[in-house]
Amino acid sequence: MAVVKEVLEIAEEIRDMRIRGAGKIARSAAYALQLQAEKSRATNVDEFWDEMKQAAKILYETRPTAVSLPNALRYVMHRGKVAYAGGADLEQLKFIVINAAKEFIHNSEKAVERIGEIGANRIEDGDVIMTHCHSKAAISVMKTAWEQGKDIKVIVTETRPKWQGKITAKELASYGIPVIYVVDSAARHYMKMTDKVVMGADSITVNGAVINKIGTALIALTAKEHRVWTMIAAETYKFHPETMLGQLVEIEMRDPTEVIPEEELKTWPKNIEVWNPAFDVTPPEYVDVIITERGIIPPSAAIDILKEEFGWALKYTEPWED
């Protein structure tokens, strides 16, 4: 049973965060499955399906928190599983898997554009917007508003310890948008000059809670206190089906050397632990709206998206597990 080397390479890049950002991770995972199907040397349908499940498992295990990854795999593998169970032959099954992967990639690329169009309608001329981390969907909202001729300014938090704010600041500036770059802890200080908060999401739970880069919850809390609108821009594949079963979302703990350089850490007293959580959870009551490619919803409508998009994911077994 052979998993093609391209799949292993993509898995490695996702694990090492060389491929980052939920949309990119999702599209890369779907593309890896497409490559597995295209390059497979399997001679019969059972062997082919075993390879596909093997590849999906390897990809699934790379990043625990990024829900877009399993959702991309579910999208492709679910369609394959239905065909396989229905007795498709090797050529048909290959075609269905490759097609599902291409379809997912296409929809995902279009989603960011749609979110930009829908979200920009909620941005007004003269708005000062605060954002955190680096989110394609959130950037799309701001960029589209700017292209509509709205005079906006964006306050970008640096987003320690990986500095994703630097990427956001430069990208927004490249479109001509005026940017103010501040340290994370200055968020409350500048909330009084902010009109809207626009952030992305890594995943969204069934009750509309938002899992996103560490620091998101603090900004949403401060925005709530200042009566500033908080908008979360997120593709529907960020909605987390497993939370339907009451599972708590696992928060990824990352390497302490991202916070304190290794050389320095070696000199520190042993009774100091460095904790580096990648994400936090923003309760739904701190979120005003979620902008998806299918329209704007209140957090309480998250369950409807989950039922429509991932109804099949309520079953306990993943399509690559049985």
Side-chain angles (χ1 to χ4, degrees):
M1 209 163 48
V3 171
V4 302
K5 74 172 196 315
E6 287 86 345
V7 170
L8 301 174
E9 283 163 7
I10 290 172
E12 197 53 41
E13 287 181 15
I14 293 173
R15 192 178 292 113
D16 297 346
M17 284 183 80
R18 282 183 307 223
I19 294 176
R20 42 168 296 284
K24 211 162 187 180
I25 289 172
R27 288 189 290 275
S28 303
Y31 183 57
L33 292 178
Q34 179 187 329
L35 290 174
Q36 177 64 43
E38 285 172 348
K39 294 178 183 288
S40 168
R41 294 219 172 91
T43 50
N44 64 61
V45 72
D46 294 332
E47 192 188 336
F48 175 76
W49 188 240
D50 277 345
E51 282 182 7
M52 289 309 305
K53 289 200 291 193
Q54 203 58 22
K57 260 190 204 119
I58 290 168
L59 292 159
Y60 177 66
E61 282 156 12
T62 55
R63 292 284 303 277
T65 318
V67 67
S68 64
L69 173 69
N71 274 350
L73 300 172
R74 284 181 193 120
Y75 189 97
V76 178
M77 294 297 285
H78 172 65
R79 284 154 180 76
K81 185 179 172 177
V82 169
Y84 174 69
D89 65 29
L90 184 57
E91 280 317 300
Q92 286 169 325
L93 188 53
K94 262 190 187 173
F95 176 77
I96 283 163
V97 168
I98 291 166
N99 210 38
K102 287 179 173 169
E103 190 177 71
F104 180 88
I105 292 166
H106 175 78
N107 291 349
S108 150
E109 281 167 343
K110 282 275 160 283
V112 171
E113 227 172 279
R114 269 304 285 140
I115 287 169
E117 290 159 12
I118 294 167
N121 295 334
R122 298 295 173 107
I123 304 292
E124 289 157 74
D125 194 31
D127 271 354
V128 174
I129 298 164
M130 187 179 289
T131 192
H132 184 61
C133 199
H134 178 254
S135 154
K136 286 269 191 301
I139 284 176
S140 182
V141 170
M142 297 179 268
K143 178 179 184 240
T144 310
W146 177 257
E147 283 166 354
Q148 287 171 353
K150 291 170 182 168
D151 180 23
I152 59 168
K153 208 187 231 109
V154 183
I155 299 172
V156 175
T157 50
E158 61 181 359
T159 321
R160 285 263 304 141
K162 296 279 277 184
W163 315 100
Q164 289 95 336
K166 291 181 178 178
I167 306 169
T168 301
K170 289 174 189 164
E171 187 175 338
L172 290 169
S174 75
Y175 305 132
I177 300 171
V179 173
I180 300 163
Y181 181 83
V182 301
V183 298
D184 293 334
S185 45
R188 184 177 184 273
H189 183 68
Y190 289 115
M191 193 57 77
K192 51 184 165 302
M193 63 179 273
T194 303
D195 300 294
K196 309 259 164 54
V197 170
V198 180
M199 299 184 285
D202 211 75
S203 66
I204 293 169
T205 70
V206 66
N207 64 335
V210 172
I211 290 101
N212 195 42
K213 184 60 59 209
I214 192 81
T216 301
L218 265 175
I219 292 175
L221 170 66
T222 302
K224 179 88 174 163
E225 175 206 16
H226 284 79
R227 310 283 189 276
V228 170
W229 249 56
T230 293
M231 310 201 283
I232 297 295
E235 304 88 329
T236 49
Y237 59 74
K238 303 277 187 71
F239 288 71
H240 210 307
E242 278 120 45
T243 58
M244 296 286 271
L245 309 170
Q247 275 167 275
L248 292 169
V249 178
E250 184 188 337
I251 297 291
E252 183 180 348
M253 273 297 203
R254 296 191 60 83
D255 196 325
T257 59
E258 289 180 354
V259 181
I260 307 291
E262 202 165 353
E263 290 311 300
E264 190 185 334
L265 202 54
K266 281 180 187 152
T267 68
W268 277 31
K270 287 290 163 269
N271 51 343
I272 300 178
E273 292 179 44
V274 178
W275 288 4
N276 179 20
F279 304 97
D280 59 23
V281 182
T282 302
E285 52 273 23
Y286 298 162
V287 175
D288 291 287
V289 292
I290 300 171
I291 308 157
T292 79
E293 72 273 22
R294 295 182 42 186
I296 290 187
I297 61 164
S300 58
I303 187 161
D304 301 329
I305 294 274
L306 281 165
K307 281 178 180 160
E308 288 163 31
E309 294 283 294
F310 306 113
W312 39 264
L314 300 182
K315 294 189 275 302
Y316 276 88
T317 53
E318 297 288 10
W320 54 86
E321 274 176 349
D322 45 356

